[in-house]
Amino acid sequence: MVKGHKIERLLWSIALPGFGQFLNKKYLKGVVLIALEVLINVQSDLNVSIQMSFQGNIAGAIETTDYEWLMFYPCVYMFGIWDAYRDADEKEQPLSFLPYVSAAFFATVGMIYSPYFLGPVWLSLLFCFVGVGIGLLLKKILLR
């Protein structure tokens, strides 16, 4: 598949988990991921938390968020992105999952500590980017 198609799938999955799967004609997977996104989003009050975080009301975001539901979000989100990217490729890329798995792990760890620093949106995002970097580094080291 053309490189641009892989990036398109990745970007649509970042916009909403499941959209990349629809582009890859994996409709059942797409529906399941969208349903999980909506369920977790509604149950955790994620949109309200995002809005409050962007407005600088970190204490309100922490108080509003249902962390028991939100803890599922990084794994579902990163799986959706990785799966759409992987399915768009005709050949298997070794260890292509590492940046995504690492990002999900670190974002979840960030979420655990987010009530004490920066709230559920900002600390999780920061840790997610750290996770991507560590995953890319691990992939590079292991493929040598």
Side-chain angles (χ1 to χ4, degrees):
M1 184 165 282
V2 179
K3 178 81 169 167
H5 288 152
K6 289 177 63 175
I7 300 301
E8 178 187 10
R9 270 58 171 183
L10 182 129
L11 292 175
W12 275 112
S13 291
I14 288 172
L16 186 73
F19 280 8
Q21 283 71 17
F22 277 105
L23 289 171
N24 288 332
K25 299 180 180 10
K26 307 284 182 164
Y27 301 112
L28 181 59
K29 246 193 266 188
V31 168
V32 169
L33 283 167
I34 290 172
L36 284 171
E37 154 70 25
V38 170
L39 177 67
I40 295 167
N41 191 312
V42 168
Q43 293 297 322
S44 68
D45 285 322
L46 178 58
N47 285 346
V48 175
S49 180
I50 291 169
Q51 182 180 13
M52 288 181 166
S53 295
F54 271 83
Q55 293 170 344
N57 184 359
I58 302 301
I62 291 168
E63 190 172 317
T64 299
T65 302
D66 184 336
Y67 283 90
E68 290 180 7
W69 276 98
L70 194 58
M71 294 292 286
F72 291 106
Y73 196 78
C75 291
V76 170
Y77 190 74
M78 294 311 294
F79 173 79
I81 295 169
W82 167 75
D83 182 68
Y85 186 76
R86 182 202 58 187
D87 280 350
D89 201 358
E90 292 176 356
K91 60 181 174 137
E92 185 87 15
Q93 298 280 336
L95 303 177
S96 66
F97 63 90
L98 272 177
Y100 303 95
V101 170
S102 180
F105 172 76
F106 278 92
T108 303
V109 170
M111 197 171 299
I112 291 167
Y113 291 102
S114 68
Y116 310 107
F117 183 68
L118 290 179
V121 173
W122 299 121
L123 194 62
S124 298
L125 266 175
L126 288 173
F127 272 52
C128 182
F129 290 125
V130 169
V132 169
I134 290 172
L136 288 170
L137 182 65
L138 279 172
K139 181 179 167 185
K140 184 176 182 178
I141 290 169
L142 293 172
L143 287 176
R144 281 188 185 175

